[in-house]
């Protein structure tokens, strides 16, 4: 692995001096990461990506390091039936108090994941004090379940729509 690597399409004189190990660890690794990124970009729309980025701001990891008030307000805007314009104003006020409260409490500093944050908030009775933040947490926790349920429904519909419809006759 320590031998010099020369790409087949380059001349030996102009080829950069790299080893086989470097080629496999860096060049091929970067290419695979780019393929995976392209696949993720193809699979998720811009709206879904924005939703996931906003959702990540609820994470309690590293003493709420990812907290971003504007992204959480944007996350709430994705749910107009749950958050009226008046509720959004109340949420904006509540988020400032919430993050200050969470960062000063030692029992919230070691949490990992949104699920553990929601459990700890219920244990401490903070779901009543921070009602809108807790609503955001519950929406964030139900999002993967709702998405999986819709995916299953469409998969079942494709089974009925495809082979079964093709076998149906005039009867």
């Amino acid at each position: 692995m320590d031998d010099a690597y020369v790409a087949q399409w380059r001349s030996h004189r102009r080829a950069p001096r790299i080893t086989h190990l470097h080629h496999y660890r860096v060049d091929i690794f970067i290419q695979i990461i780019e393929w995976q990124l392209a696949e993720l970009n193809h699979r998720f729309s811009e709206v879904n990506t924005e939703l996931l980025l906003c959702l990540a701001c609820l994470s309690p990891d590293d003493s709420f390091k990812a907290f971003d008030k504007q992204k959480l307000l944007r996350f709430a805007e994705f749910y107009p039936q749950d958050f009226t314009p008046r509720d959004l104003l109340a949420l904006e006020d509540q988020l400032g108090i919430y993050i200050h409260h969470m960062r000063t409490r030692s029992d919230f500093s070691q949490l990992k994941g949104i699920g553990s944050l929601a459990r700890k908030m219920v244990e401490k009775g903070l779901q009543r004090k921070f009602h809108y933040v807790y609503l955001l947490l519950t929406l964030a926790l139900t999002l993967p379940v709702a998405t999986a349920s819709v995916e299953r429904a469409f998969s079942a519909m494709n089974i009925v729509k495809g082979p079964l419809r093709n076998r149906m006759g005039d009867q």
Side-chain angles (χ1 to χ4, degrees):
M1 293 301 277
D2 292 328
D3 291 344
Y5 173 79
V6 178
Q8 293 176 354
W9 58 88
R10 292 196 171 223
S11 70
H12 288 277
R13 282 184 282 145
R14 289 192 223 156
R17 302 279 183 224
I18 61 171
T19 64
H20 282 279
L21 183 64
H22 178 272
H23 171 69
Y24 287 113
R25 278 198 176 159
V26 176
D27 297 339
I28 292 180
F29 180 74
I30 289 172
Q31 183 66 39
I32 290 172
I33 295 295
E34 286 176 357
W35 286 341
Q36 289 177 339
L37 185 60
E39 179 66 27
L40 288 173
N41 286 336
H42 175 71
R43 190 160 294 203
F44 294 106
S45 68
E46 239 179 88
V47 174
N48 288 343
T49 304
E50 184 182 8
L51 183 66
L52 292 173
L53 289 173
C54 292
L55 174 76
C57 293
L58 284 169
S59 176
D61 296 350
D62 295 330
S63 295
F64 297 87
K65 181 181 177 182
F67 180 82
D68 185 346
K69 189 175 184 178
Q70 295 307 315
K71 285 186 180 178
L72 289 174
L73 289 170
R74 178 69 183 125
F75 180 65
E77 289 172 4
F78 280 109
Y79 296 96
Q81 293 174 340
D82 294 310
F83 290 97
T84 64
R86 195 171 120 216
D87 292 339
L88 287 172
L89 290 173
L91 174 64
E92 186 174 3
D93 293 337
Q94 202 174 81
L95 282 171
I97 299 166
Y98 163 79
I99 194 61
H100 176 72
H101 186 79
M102 292 299 158
R103 286 181 175 161
T104 56
R105 304 264 314 249
S106 62
D107 48 348
F108 284 89
S109 63
Q110 300 301 319
L111 294 177
K112 298 288 183 206
I114 297 172
S116 62
L117 173 61
R119 270 192 300 277
K120 184 64 93 169
M121 282 184 74
V122 171
E123 283 175 16
K124 301 292 182 179
L126 295 175
Q127 80 276 10
R128 290 185 294 279
K129 184 177 181 180
F130 300 112
H131 170 72
Y132 293 116
V133 177
Y134 187 72
L135 179 58
L136 277 179
L137 281 170
T138 55
L139 289 170
L141 289 171
T142 57
L143 182 64
V145 175
T147 304
S149 300
V150 170
E151 292 281 338
R152 262 188 250 118
F154 277 113
S155 294
M157 191 171 71
N158 283 337
I159 291 170
V160 170
K161 212 170 130 181
L164 291 178
R165 186 174 64 181
N166 292 341
R167 285 187 282 167
M168 290 174 60
D170 290 335
Q171 298 87 356

Short mmCIF file of all heavy atoms in Angstrom, two decimals, residues 77-115:
data_model
loop_
_atom_site.label_atom_id
_atom_site.label_comp_id
_atom_site.label_asym_id
_atom_site.label_seq_id
_atom_site.Cartn_x
_atom_site.Cartn_y
_atom_site.Cartn_z
N GLU A 77 -43.90 26.83 11.20
CA GLU A 77 -44.67 27.31 10.04
C GLU A 77 -45.07 26.18 9.11
O GLU A 77 -46.01 26.33 8.32
CB GLU A 77 -43.87 28.36 9.28
CG GLU A 77 -43.75 29.67 10.00
CD GLU A 77 -42.79 30.64 9.33
OE1 GLU A 77 -42.27 30.31 8.23
OE2 GLU A 77 -42.55 31.73 9.89
N PHE A 78 -44.37 25.05 9.16
CA PHE A 78 -44.75 23.89 8.35
C PHE A 78 -46.06 23.27 8.83
O PHE A 78 -46.64 22.44 8.14
CB PHE A 78 -43.65 22.82 8.38
CG PHE A 78 -42.50 23.11 7.46
CD1 PHE A 78 -41.27 23.47 7.98
CD2 PHE A 78 -42.63 23.02 6.09
CE1 PHE A 78 -40.20 23.72 7.15
CE2 PHE A 78 -41.57 23.28 5.25
CZ PHE A 78 -40.35 23.63 5.78
N TYR A 79 -46.52 23.65 10.01
CA TYR A 79 -47.74 23.11 10.61
C TYR A 79 -48.74 24.23 10.88
O TYR A 79 -48.99 24.59 12.03
CB TYR A 79 -47.40 22.36 11.90
CG TYR A 79 -46.53 21.16 11.68
CD1 TYR A 79 -45.15 21.24 11.82
CD2 TYR A 79 -47.07 19.95 11.29
CE1 TYR A 79 -44.34 20.15 11.60
CE2 TYR A 79 -46.27 18.85 11.06
CZ TYR A 79 -44.91 18.96 11.22
OH TYR A 79 -44.11 17.87 10.99
N PRO A 80 -49.36 24.80 9.84
CA PRO A 80 -50.27 25.93 10.04
C PRO A 80 -51.53 25.57 10.82
O PRO A 80 -52.15 26.44 11.42
CB PRO A 80 -50.60 26.38 8.61
CG PRO A 80 -50.33 25.21 7.76
CD PRO A 80 -49.24 24.43 8.44
N GLN A 81 -51.94 24.31 10.83
CA GLN A 81 -53.13 23.91 11.59
C GLN A 81 -52.83 23.85 13.08
O GLN A 81 -53.73 23.98 13.90
CB GLN A 81 -53.66 22.57 11.09
CG GLN A 81 -54.19 22.67 9.68
CD GLN A 81 -54.59 21.31 9.12
OE1 GLN A 81 -54.15 20.28 9.62
NE2 GLN A 81 -55.41 21.32 8.09
N ASP A 82 -51.57 23.65 13.45
CA ASP A 82 -51.20 23.57 14.86
C ASP A 82 -50.73 24.91 15.41
O ASP A 82 -50.81 25.15 16.61
CB ASP A 82 -50.10 22.52 15.05
CG ASP A 82 -50.59 21.12 14.74
OD1 ASP A 82 -51.65 20.75 15.27
OD2 ASP A 82 -49.91 20.42 13.97
N PHE A 83 -50.21 25.77 14.55
CA PHE A 83 -49.67 27.05 14.98
C PHE A 83 -50.32 28.19 14.18
O PHE A 83 -50.01 28.37 13.00
CB PHE A 83 -48.14 27.10 14.79
CG PHE A 83 -47.39 26.21 15.72
CD1 PHE A 83 -46.98 24.96 15.33
CD2 PHE A 83 -47.08 26.64 17.00
CE1 PHE A 83 -46.28 24.13 16.19
CE2 PHE A 83 -46.38 25.83 17.87
CZ PHE A 83 -45.98 24.57 17.47
N THR A 84 -51.17 28.93 14.83
CA THR A 84 -51.77 30.11 14.22
C THR A 84 -50.72 31.22 14.25
O THR A 84 -49.71 31.10 14.97
CB THR A 84 -53.02 30.56 14.99
OG1 THR A 84 -52.62 30.95 16.31
CG2 THR A 84 -54.06 29.45 15.05
N PRO A 85 -50.93 32.33 13.53
CA PRO A 85 -49.96 33.44 13.62
C PRO A 85 -49.77 33.94 15.05
O PRO A 85 -48.66 34.32 15.44
CB PRO A 85 -50.59 34.51 12.72
CG PRO A 85 -51.37 33.73 11.71
CD PRO A 85 -51.91 32.55 12.45
N ARG A 86 -50.83 33.93 15.84
CA ARG A 86 -50.71 34.35 17.24
C ARG A 86 -49.87 33.35 18.04
O ARG A 86 -49.05 33.74 18.88
CB ARG A 86 -52.12 34.47 17.84
CG ARG A 86 -52.13 35.22 19.13
CD ARG A 86 -53.55 35.50 19.57
NE ARG A 86 -53.70 34.87 20.87
CZ ARG A 86 -54.78 34.29 21.31
NH1 ARG A 86 -55.86 34.24 20.57
NH2 ARG A 86 -54.81 33.74 22.49
N ASP A 87 -50.06 32.06 17.75
CA ASP A 87 -49.25 31.03 18.41
C ASP A 87 -47.77 31.16 18.05
O ASP A 87 -46.90 30.90 18.88
CB ASP A 87 -49.74 29.62 18.02
CG ASP A 87 -51.12 29.31 18.57
OD1 ASP A 87 -51.54 29.96 19.55
OD2 ASP A 87 -51.78 28.41 18.01
N LEU A 88 -47.49 31.55 16.82
CA LEU A 88 -46.10 31.72 16.40
C LEU A 88 -45.41 32.84 17.17
O LEU A 88 -44.24 32.73 17.54
CB LEU A 88 -46.01 32.00 14.89
CG LEU A 88 -46.28 30.80 13.98
CD1 LEU A 88 -46.36 31.25 12.53
CD2 LEU A 88 -45.24 29.73 14.15
N LEU A 89 -46.15 33.92 17.44
CA LEU A 89 -45.60 35.00 18.25
C LEU A 89 -45.32 34.53 19.68
O LEU A 89 -44.29 34.85 20.27
CB LEU A 89 -46.54 36.20 18.26
CG LEU A 89 -46.67 36.96 16.94
CD1 LEU A 89 -47.76 38.01 17.04
CD2 LEU A 89 -45.35 37.58 16.56
N ALA A 90 -46.27 33.75 20.22
CA ALA A 90 -46.08 33.22 21.58
C ALA A 90 -44.92 32.23 21.61
O ALA A 90 -44.13 32.21 22.57
CB ALA A 90 -47.36 32.54 22.06
N LEU A 91 -44.79 31.43 20.55
CA LEU A 91 -43.66 30.48 20.47
C LEU A 91 -42.34 31.22 20.42
O LEU A 91 -41.38 30.80 21.08
CB LEU A 91 -43.81 29.59 19.23
CG LEU A 91 -42.65 28.65 18.92
CD1 LEU A 91 -42.49 27.62 20.03
CD2 LEU A 91 -42.83 27.98 17.58
N GLU A 92 -42.28 32.31 19.68
CA GLU A 92 -41.04 33.08 19.59
C GLU A 92 -40.60 33.58 20.97
O GLU A 92 -39.43 33.47 21.33
CB GLU A 92 -41.22 34.26 18.64
CG GLU A 92 -39.96 35.04 18.38
CD GLU A 92 -40.15 36.12 17.33
OE1 GLU A 92 -41.28 36.31 16.84
OE2 GLU A 92 -39.15 36.77 17.00
N ASP A 93 -41.54 34.08 21.74
CA ASP A 93 -41.21 34.52 23.11
C ASP A 93 -40.80 33.34 23.98
O ASP A 93 -39.85 33.44 24.75
CB ASP A 93 -42.42 35.24 23.73
CG ASP A 93 -42.73 36.55 23.04
OD1 ASP A 93 -41.82 37.11 22.40
OD2 ASP A 93 -43.89 37.00 23.13
N GLN A 94 -41.54 32.24 23.83
CA GLN A 94 -41.28 31.07 24.67
C GLN A 94 -39.93 30.43 24.37
O GLN A 94 -39.27 29.90 25.27
CB GLN A 94 -42.41 30.05 24.46
CG GLN A 94 -42.56 29.08 25.59
CD GLN A 94 -43.77 28.20 25.38
OE1 GLN A 94 -43.67 27.25 24.63
NE2 GLN A 94 -44.87 28.52 26.03
N LEU A 95 -39.49 30.47 23.12
CA LEU A 95 -38.22 29.84 22.75
C LEU A 95 -37.03 30.52 23.44
O LEU A 95 -36.09 29.84 23.84
CB LEU A 95 -38.02 29.87 21.23
CG LEU A 95 -38.80 28.83 20.44
CD1 LEU A 95 -38.70 29.10 18.95
CD2 LEU A 95 -38.34 27.43 20.77
N GLY A 96 -37.07 31.83 23.57
CA GLY A 96 -35.98 32.53 24.25
C GLY A 96 -35.88 32.13 25.71
O GLY A 96 -34.78 31.88 26.24
N ILE A 97 -37.02 32.05 26.38
CA ILE A 97 -37.04 31.64 27.79
C ILE A 97 -36.64 30.18 27.92
O ILE A 97 -35.87 29.80 28.81
CB ILE A 97 -38.44 31.89 28.39
CG1 ILE A 97 -38.79 33.37 28.33
CG2 ILE A 97 -38.53 31.37 29.81
CD1 ILE A 97 -40.25 33.69 28.57
N TYR A 98 -37.14 29.36 27.00
CA TYR A 98 -36.88 27.92 27.02
C TYR A 98 -35.39 27.62 26.92
O TYR A 98 -34.85 26.86 27.73
CB TYR A 98 -37.64 27.26 25.86
CG TYR A 98 -37.17 25.88 25.50
CD1 TYR A 98 -37.56 24.78 26.24
CD2 TYR A 98 -36.35 25.68 24.39
CE1 TYR A 98 -37.14 23.51 25.89
CE2 TYR A 98 -35.92 24.42 24.04
CZ TYR A 98 -36.32 23.34 24.78
OH TYR A 98 -35.89 22.08 24.44
N ILE A 99 -34.70 28.22 25.98
CA ILE A 99 -33.28 27.89 25.78
C ILE A 99 -32.45 28.36 26.95
O ILE A 99 -31.52 27.67 27.39
CB ILE A 99 -32.75 28.40 24.43
CG1 ILE A 99 -31.40 27.73 24.11
CG2 ILE A 99 -32.63 29.89 24.41
CD1 ILE A 99 -31.44 26.25 23.99
N HIS A 100 -32.78 29.52 27.51
CA HIS A 100 -32.07 30.00 28.69
C HIS A 100 -32.29 29.03 29.86
O HIS A 100 -31.34 28.67 30.57
CB HIS A 100 -32.53 31.41 29.07
CG HIS A 100 -31.91 31.91 30.33
ND1 HIS A 100 -30.58 32.28 30.40
CD2 HIS A 100 -32.42 32.08 31.58
CE1 HIS A 100 -30.30 32.67 31.63
NE2 HIS A 100 -31.40 32.56 32.36
N HIS A 101 -33.51 28.59 30.03
CA HIS A 101 -33.85 27.66 31.11
C HIS A 101 -33.12 26.32 30.94
O HIS A 101 -32.58 25.77 31.91
CB HIS A 101 -35.37 27.44 31.13
CG HIS A 101 -35.87 26.63 32.26
ND1 HIS A 101 -36.03 27.15 33.53
CD2 HIS A 101 -36.22 25.33 32.35
CE1 HIS A 101 -36.47 26.21 34.34
NE2 HIS A 101 -36.60 25.09 33.64
N MET A 102 -33.10 25.81 29.72
CA MET A 102 -32.49 24.50 29.47
C MET A 102 -30.97 24.54 29.62
O MET A 102 -30.37 23.59 30.13
CB MET A 102 -32.84 24.00 28.06
CG MET A 102 -34.28 23.65 27.88
SD MET A 102 -34.74 22.32 29.00
CE MET A 102 -36.48 22.54 29.08
N ARG A 103 -30.35 25.61 29.20
CA ARG A 103 -28.89 25.69 29.28
C ARG A 103 -28.40 25.93 30.70
O ARG A 103 -27.25 25.62 31.01
CB ARG A 103 -28.37 26.78 28.34
CG ARG A 103 -28.43 26.36 26.89
CD ARG A 103 -27.90 27.41 25.96
NE ARG A 103 -27.86 26.91 24.58
CZ ARG A 103 -27.80 27.69 23.52
NH1 ARG A 103 -27.77 29.01 23.65
NH2 ARG A 103 -27.78 27.17 22.32
N THR A 104 -29.25 26.46 31.57
CA THR A 104 -28.82 26.71 32.95
C THR A 104 -29.10 25.52 33.86
O THR A 104 -28.53 25.44 34.94
CB THR A 104 -29.52 27.95 33.53
OG1 THR A 104 -30.95 27.79 33.44
CG2 THR A 104 -29.08 29.20 32.79
N ARG A 105 -29.93 24.58 33.44
CA ARG A 105 -30.25 23.41 34.26
C ARG A 105 -29.28 22.28 33.97
O ARG A 105 -29.08 21.89 32.83
CB ARG A 105 -31.68 22.92 33.97
CG ARG A 105 -32.78 23.94 34.14
CD ARG A 105 -33.46 23.91 35.48
NE ARG A 105 -33.84 22.64 35.97
CZ ARG A 105 -35.10 22.22 36.08
NH1 ARG A 105 -36.09 22.97 35.70
NH2 ARG A 105 -35.35 21.03 36.61
N SER A 106 -28.66 21.74 35.01
CA SER A 106 -27.66 20.69 34.82
C SER A 106 -28.29 19.36 34.43
O SER A 106 -27.65 18.54 33.77
CB SER A 106 -26.83 20.52 36.10
OG SER A 106 -27.67 20.12 37.17
N ASP A 107 -29.54 19.10 34.83
CA ASP A 107 -30.16 17.82 34.51
C ASP A 107 -30.55 17.71 33.03
O ASP A 107 -30.89 16.62 32.57
CB ASP A 107 -31.37 17.54 35.41
CG ASP A 107 -32.32 18.72 35.52
OD1 ASP A 107 -31.95 19.82 35.11
OD2 ASP A 107 -33.43 18.52 36.05
N PHE A 108 -30.48 18.78 32.27
CA PHE A 108 -30.77 18.73 30.84
C PHE A 108 -29.50 18.76 30.00
O PHE A 108 -29.56 18.69 28.78
CB PHE A 108 -31.67 19.91 30.44
CG PHE A 108 -33.10 19.73 30.84
CD1 PHE A 108 -33.55 20.17 32.07
CD2 PHE A 108 -34.01 19.11 30.01
CE1 PHE A 108 -34.86 20.01 32.46
CE2 PHE A 108 -35.32 18.94 30.38
CZ PHE A 108 -35.75 19.39 31.61
N SER A 109 -28.34 18.88 30.63
CA SER A 109 -27.10 19.04 29.87
C SER A 109 -26.58 17.74 29.26
O SER A 109 -25.85 17.78 28.27
CB SER A 109 -26.01 19.65 30.76
OG SER A 109 -25.71 18.77 31.82
N GLN A 110 -26.93 16.59 29.80
CA GLN A 110 -26.40 15.32 29.31
C GLN A 110 -27.39 14.54 28.45
O GLN A 110 -27.17 13.36 28.20
CB GLN A 110 -25.98 14.45 30.51
CG GLN A 110 -24.91 15.07 31.38
CD GLN A 110 -23.65 15.36 30.60
OE1 GLN A 110 -23.22 14.57 29.78
NE2 GLN A 110 -23.04 16.52 30.87
N LEU A 111 -28.45 15.15 28.01
CA LEU A 111 -29.47 14.45 27.21
C LEU A 111 -28.96 14.16 25.81
O LEU A 111 -28.20 14.94 25.23
CB LEU A 111 -30.74 15.28 27.14
CG LEU A 111 -31.49 15.49 28.45
CD1 LEU A 111 -32.69 16.39 28.22
CD2 LEU A 111 -31.93 14.17 29.05
N LYS A 112 -29.41 13.04 25.27
CA LYS A 112 -29.07 12.66 23.90
C LYS A 112 -30.36 12.35 23.16
O LYS A 112 -31.07 11.41 23.50
CB LYS A 112 -28.17 11.41 23.88
CG LYS A 112 -26.85 11.59 24.56
CD LYS A 112 -25.95 12.46 23.76
CE LYS A 112 -24.60 12.57 24.43
NZ LYS A 112 -23.92 13.77 24.10
N GLY A 113 -30.71 13.15 22.20
CA GLY A 113 -31.87 12.88 21.37
C GLY A 113 -33.13 13.59 21.82
O GLY A 113 -33.30 13.94 22.99
N ILE A 114 -34.03 13.79 20.87
CA ILE A 114 -35.27 14.50 21.13
C ILE A 114 -36.20 13.70 22.03
O ILE A 114 -36.91 14.26 22.85
CB ILE A 114 -35.94 14.85 19.78
CG1 ILE A 114 -35.04 15.79 18.98
CG2 ILE A 114 -37.30 15.49 19.98
CD1 ILE A 114 -35.50 16.05 17.58
N GLY A 115 -36.18 12.38 21.88
CA GLY A 115 -37.03 11.54 22.73
C GLY A 115 -36.69 11.67 24.20
O GLY A 115 -37.59 11.77 25.05
#
